Amino acid sequence: MKISDKQLQVQEVHKTYGKGQSETVALKGIAFDVLPGEFLGIMGASGSGKTTLLNCIATMLKPTSGQILLDGQNISSFRGSQLAKYRGSKIGYLFQEFELLDNLSARENIVLPLSIHGENPKKQEAQLQKLAKQFDIEEVLNKFPSQLSGGQKQRVAAARALISNPSIVLADEPTGALDTKNAKILMEKLSSINHTDGATILMVTHDANAASFCSRILFIQDGVIFHELRKKVPGETQNSFYERILTVMAQLGGGSSNVL
Ligand SMILES: Nc1ncnc2c1ncn2[C@@H]1O[C@H](COP(=O)(O)OP(=O)(O)OP(=O)(O)O)[C@@H](O)[C@H]1O
C-alpha cells in the first residue's frame, strides 16, 4: 500500500497530562491508519483516552510524542495560518452538544465555515442545498437553534461539519444527547453520506447501536488499542455486527451493559 492511500496515520502517539504526582498518561503509544472513505468507530470505557485521541487529531491538543499525518502531512508541525487552515478546511467537527450559534439561523450556522474562508456564495448555496436534502433539514434552514428539535440541531451540526468537504469528519459522541429514534436517523444519514460521497468519518461513541453503522471499530483500553472489529464484506448485517460489538464490550467492561 502506498503512503498516500492512507488518509490518516496515527503513529505511536503518547499523551501525558500534568507532571509529578498529578501526571496522567492518557495515550500510551497508540497507532493506526484510516483509509479514505472509512467509517471508523472508537470505543472504550470512560477515561480510556478516546477524547484525548480525537483532540490530538483535531490539533486541539499536542501529543507528548509520536506523529499524526493527514493526507501525508505532519499536522503536529503546523503553526499559525497553516494550523488555522487545517482546522477550518481539512477537518469537520461534530460534537455531542451540537455547538450551534444561537443568534445565527440554521442556514447561517451551516455555511459559517465557508463564510470564514471567503468561499464564493454560489458554491456555498449549492453545497448547502445538497446537504440540507441529505440531512432532511430543508424545511428548517431559516429557523434559529432554539426553534429546532434536538435531532434537527444535530443534523444541522452534521451538515456544518461536512460543508467544507473536509478530508475527515471527527465526531465525539454525536448521538450522546439524542433519543433512540433521532440517534438512528442521524446515523443513517451519516452512513449514507459515507457510502455515497465517500466521506471519511472517525467517531467516538459509547453506543453499540451507533457503532454498528461503522465499517471498523477500534476498542481502546488504558490508552492503547485493545481490540479491533471489522464489518465483514460483503454483506455482514448491521445486526450481526452489533452483536459482535456487544460481545467485545462485555469483555472490556466485564458486564452485559451496552454502555461502557
Ligand atoms: N485536561 C486534563 N488534565 C488532566 N488529565 C486529563 C485531562 N483530560 C483528560 N484527562 C485524563 O486522561 C485520561 C483520558 O481521558 P479522556 O477524556 O481522553 O477519556 P475518554 O475515553 O474520552 O473518557 P469519557 O468516555 O469519559 O469521555 C483520563 O484518565 C482523564 O482523567
Side-chain angles (χ1 to χ4, degrees):
M1 181 181 293
K2 297 196 302 279
I3 292 216
S4 57
D5 289 343
K6 300 169 184 171
Q7 191 143 26
L8 180 73
Q9 296 168 268
V10 176
Q11 301 175 334
E12 293 302 319
V13 168
H14 290 75
K15 177 66 191 175
T16 304
Y17 294 104
K19 282 204 170 81
Q21 288 206 325
S22 63
E23 183 177 287
T24 306
V25 185
L27 299 176
K28 299 176 184 166
I30 205 156
F32 60 93
D33 298 325
V34 182
L35 301 180
E38 268 201 282
F39 192 168
L40 182 70
I42 307 276
M43 301 189 85
S46 179
S48 57
K50 304 179 298 294
T51 297
T52 302
L53 172 64
L54 208 69
N55 286 342
C56 285
I57 298 169
T59 67
M60 301 302 172
L61 281 178
K62 205 169 161 29
T64 309
S65 66
Q67 288 192 336
I68 299 174
L69 282 75
L70 187 74
D71 298 331
Q73 284 189 295
N74 181 0
I75 65 172
S76 320
S77 67
F78 289 172
R79 302 275 179 280
S81 61
Q82 206 179 15
L83 191 59
K85 189 161 176 231
Y86 170 81
R87 288 180 180 159
S89 63
K90 291 281 221 171
I91 294 204
Y93 304 94
L94 190 54
F95 303 97
Q96 177 171 344
E97 293 299 336
F98 326 132
E99 311 279 346
L100 298 175
L101 297 179
D102 292 338
N103 55 347
L104 296 184
S105 66
R107 170 192 299 276
E108 290 164 337
N109 265 289
I110 295 170
V111 299
L112 193 61
L114 291 182
S115 310
I116 290 171
H117 291 278
E119 286 278 358
N120 159 342
K122 276 217 176 108
K123 190 177 162 199
Q124 285 188 12
E125 191 57 30
Q127 263 291 77
L128 172 72
Q129 292 304 334
K130 179 177 164 223
L131 286 165
K133 191 157 195 270
Q134 284 172 317
F135 282 102
D136 196 17
I137 46 171
E138 290 160 297
E139 307 298 319
V140 302
L141 286 179
N142 291 326
K143 290 191 171 180
F144 288 86
S146 62
Q147 301 168 314
L148 302 177
S149 71
Q152 288 168 337
K153 278 188 217 176
Q154 194 58 309
R155 297 204 298 282
V156 167
R160 182 188 54 191
L162 284 151
I163 191 84
S164 53
N165 213 4
S167 284
I168 193 164
V169 173
L170 302 178
D172 197 355
E173 295 278 0
T175 60
L178 301 180
D179 59 27
T180 312
K181 179 171 158 251
N182 276 298
K184 184 163 182 274
I185 294 172
L186 176 76
M187 291 314 303
E188 282 170 354
K189 304 282 181 205
L190 284 177
S191 174
S192 146
I193 283 177
N194 168 253
H195 281 119
T196 56
D197 296 1
T200 310
I201 305 173
L202 196 158
M203 175 179 75
V204 165
T205 185
H206 286 99
D207 176 356
N209 275 308
S212 67
F213 285 86
C214 296
S215 50
R216 180 163 67 110
I217 298 171
L218 300 178
F219 292 86
I220 299 186
Q221 193 172 38
D222 295 333
V224 291
I225 295 172
F226 158 85
H227 195 72
E228 177 178 317
L229 276 186
R230 203 177 275 274
K231 198 177 266 171
K232 291 174 193 156
V233 276
E236 178 172 18
T237 64
Q238 202 175 331
N239 213 29
S240 150
F241 196 42
Y242 171 77
E243 293 297 332
R244 290 203 291 137
I245 295 166
L246 284 189
T247 305
V248 178
M249 288 173 86
Q251 285 167 7
L252 259 173
S256 58
S257 160
N258 74 345
V259 175
L260 280 171

